Amino acid sequence: KLPHPRKQTMAIRYWLQAARPRTLPLALSGALLGSLLASLQHRTNAAVTLLCAATAAALQVFGNLANDYGDARSGADSPLRQGPERMVASGRISPAAMRFGLILSALSCILLGTALLAAALPVLCSGWQSWLFWLLAGTASLAAAYCYTAGSKPYGYIGLGDLAVFVFFGLLSVCGSEFLHTGRLNPASLTPAAAMGLWCCMILNLNNMRDINSDLRAGKHTVAARLRLPRAKCYHTALATTAALLWCAWLPVCFHGAPLYAFQTALAAASLTHLYFLKKAQSPSELDKLLPQWSAAVLLWVAALWLCR
């Protein structure tokens, strides 16, 4: 007997909520920035760009599902938690169903990642060492996404999430995407990659500032939870300021004249506006509103760089 169409629709809606589409702009930004850096060297490949973005999005969805599952299992998603409803903790999706969903999501990451390597590596190099390196990098990305909150000893609960985000969403995402186009590591790309990593840390910090009270009750000691809200805001300001300085150091390398001044002005305006609203935000709901806004701003920044390259 087929389920009622309305129940099917509701189930799809719950899975979409668990996937958290509002986080996808951030996942796409790093991959697209790496492709932009390759484009500036006239070494871009459309298929590699598309597959880099798709793989990054799939990894983000896998990480979101693992986070939903892991936080429900540990008790971090208690009724005290603010923000969007979590599907396992609310009973919308059972733990068993989420585990099956994680397997399917991991398989999609593996298939997309393999397709990406098949499109990029034969053009760049034919050695098995390159395949082995990137397969290990993909495995590490999957493991990091799962172990953040769902592992036996989740590193997100001891305050290492920020470091992981900086490495995987910044350095690996940007420099890795560029390498899959060009076949080489460009030391100059570390500057925009680090800036992107710090912006991604800002998103995580906003999420963790929102959840300070519920995280502490669940024994989840994120950087924000350890600092408490006033000092977590200072930490956030330091992230934003350092990222802006890194962008300002990199922009003159690729842009000149009016485009350079326009980017510098937009960077200052976006950063100061964001920090102004952060200073005003006191409640978890106000902090939660800043999450999709800054995530969209990061993607718009990368899109603008693409248009003016």
Side-chain angles (χ1 to χ4, degrees):
K1 183 180 179 181
L2 293 175
H4 191 278
R6 178 170 176 77
K7 290 185 177 180
Q8 287 184 312
T9 304
M10 294 292 282
I12 293 171
R13 179 167 69 87
Y14 295 150
W15 283 102
L16 285 174
Q17 284 183 253
R20 285 182 255 168
R22 70 176 187 168
T23 65
L24 294 184
L26 204 63
L28 296 172
S29 297
L32 293 177
L33 178 60
S35 297
L36 166 68
L37 296 175
S39 175
L40 293 171
Q41 302 169 57
H42 308 288
R43 296 287 300 275
T44 191
N45 179 308
V48 173
T49 298
L50 180 62
L51 286 167
C52 277
T55 304
L59 280 167
Q60 180 67 63
V61 169
F62 174 79
N64 289 341
L65 297 181
N67 188 241
D68 194 302
Y69 173 72
D71 276 345
R73 191 173 61 176
S74 67
D77 285 344
S78 68
L80 293 173
R81 181 187 170 276
Q82 301 293 317
E85 184 181 38
R86 293 295 183 87
M87 296 298 99
V88 175
S90 66
R92 307 288 189 187
I93 297 175
S94 70
M98 183 59 80
R99 286 193 293 270
F100 183 69
L102 280 167
I103 292 172
L104 292 181
S105 181
L107 288 174
S108 72
C109 292
I110 293 169
L111 289 173
L112 286 168
T114 304
L116 170 60
L117 297 181
L121 294 185
V123 177
L124 302 173
C125 47
S126 57
W128 63 267
Q129 296 92 339
S130 295
W131 274 91
L132 178 61
F133 173 81
W134 286 108
L135 287 173
L136 289 174
T139 302
S141 299
L142 273 173
Y146 182 81
C147 293
Y148 173 60
T149 59
S152 57
K153 293 183 179 179
Y155 64 86
Y157 283 53
I158 58 174
L160 295 178
D162 297 56
L163 177 61
V165 163
F166 179 78
V167 171
F168 286 97
F169 282 77
L171 302 183
L172 182 60
S173 178
V174 176
C175 295
S177 297
E178 181 188 15
F179 180 91
L180 290 172
H181 284 283
T182 65
R184 70 184 186 92
L185 291 174
N186 182 8
S189 298
L190 289 173
T191 301
M196 177 60 68
L198 293 174
W199 272 0
C200 293
C201 287
M202 289 169 63
I203 294 291
L204 178 63
N205 192 53
L206 284 169
N207 181 85
N208 291 340
M209 284 192 289
R210 181 198 66 198
D211 296 339
I212 284 176
N213 292 332
S214 58
D215 282 349
L216 286 173
R217 287 179 179 270
K220 186 177 181 180
H221 299 288
T222 62
V223 171
R226 292 176 185 274
L227 294 174
R228 304 300 196 272
L229 187 58
R231 285 185 293 176
K233 286 187 175 183
C234 293
Y235 167 64
H236 196 88
T237 302
L239 292 174
T241 303
T242 306
L245 291 174
L246 289 171
W247 282 119
C248 286
W250 175 76
L251 283 170
V253 176
C254 301
F255 300 95
H256 307 280
L260 173 62
Y261 300 137
F263 278 124
Q264 290 174 331
T265 302
L267 176 65
S271 300
L272 291 173
T273 301
H274 175 74
L275 292 176
Y276 169 75
F277 284 110
L278 174 70
K279 183 179 180 181
K280 290 182 61 179
Q282 296 298 325
S283 68
S285 61
E286 291 173 322
L287 290 166
D288 188 63
K289 290 178 181 178
L290 295 177
L291 268 163
Q293 293 173 6
W294 187 247
S295 182
V298 172
L299 183 58
L300 285 173
W301 171 262
V302 176
L305 292 175
W306 263 100
L307 289 173
C308 298
R309 72 190 190 282

